[in-house]
Amino acid sequence: MTEFQQMEGDNLALPEEPEAAVSQDEGQSSQPRPGAMLSAAEGADAALDFLSGVLDRMDLLAEARLVAHEGNQISLEVVGEDVALLIGKHGQTLDALQLLISAAVARKIEGRPRVILDAEGYRERRAETLRQMALSLAHQVLDSGQEAVMEGLSAAERRVIHTALADEPGIGTYSEGEEPQRRVVITPTG
């Protein structure tokens, strides 16, 4: 048995496809329908089960919680003593786990699910830090007349910067570079 097969048996796999309803008169056994998709609620439960399985396999003192699911958006949160291990530098580990969960449930949920994974409010704290940093750099740009180039950021983090500075008079922003080191440039506009 491969390690992946063993992991599937240890609650990391998504639930099997739902069985087709067969009437008693047909005398046929129930067979999984090819291509059967999970409902949004079942998909949210599957995402939570997958995350719980990952946490169990990592042997972390942490618990997965379903925060909300609306349409195809699933919001999950991890709480517990070992949450810092899941965040990583600037949320990179958290982003990777979010991507893994998204990929795992994408094949099973109708539409394209959007999974948002947080760890004890980390994402909002990081967004606030980025907003404050952006405003501080914007003031430096206005004072000096020189552009400021931020560190490489994820697309979501760049969006926070662009949004935070969108209404700042005399300031413009744009992104440059290649992933994963794409940066926001803050520039004077006057």
Side-chain angles (χ1 to χ4, degrees), residues 2-144:
T2 68
E3 183 177 339
F4 180 74
Q5 289 169 327
Q6 182 180 4
M7 288 172 55
E8 279 187 324
D10 289 342
N11 198 23
L12 285 182
L14 288 174
E16 294 297 317
E17 294 184 9
E19 293 183 2
V22 177
S23 70
Q24 299 267 350
D25 321 2
E26 294 175 348
Q28 298 176 347
S29 63
S30 296
Q31 297 289 327
R33 288 186 317 233
M37 302 298 274
L38 299 175
S39 69
E42 291 169 328
D45 289 340
L48 179 62
D49 289 345
F50 186 88
L51 175 57
S52 295
V54 169
L55 297 176
D56 289 345
R57 292 287 289 178
M58 293 177 72
D59 201 27
L60 297 177
L61 294 175
E63 176 186 341
R65 295 183 181 162
L66 177 62
V67 176
H69 70 89
E70 294 179 20
N72 280 348
Q73 182 167 313
I74 301 167
S75 297
L76 303 168
E77 182 175 27
V78 178
V79 295
E81 290 181 37
D82 291 338
V83 164
L85 296 171
L86 288 175
I87 294 172
K89 182 179 178 184
H90 299 304
Q92 289 176 334
T93 307
L94 195 61
D95 289 341
L97 186 54
Q98 177 176 294
L99 183 63
L100 182 65
I101 296 165
S102 293
V105 298
R107 299 180 328 234
K108 298 288 185 176
I109 299 176
E110 292 181 24
R112 186 172 183 181
R114 180 168 185 244
V115 176
I116 300 171
L117 177 62
D118 199 358
E120 293 190 346
Y122 167 78
R123 294 210 186 267
E124 185 53 41
R125 289 191 311 273
R126 175 71 174 154
E128 184 57 33
T129 298
L130 289 171
R131 284 189 285 269
Q132 294 303 318
M133 186 185 314
L135 290 171
S136 175
L137 285 172
H139 291 301
Q140 290 176 18
V141 166
L142 286 174
D143 291 344
S144 71

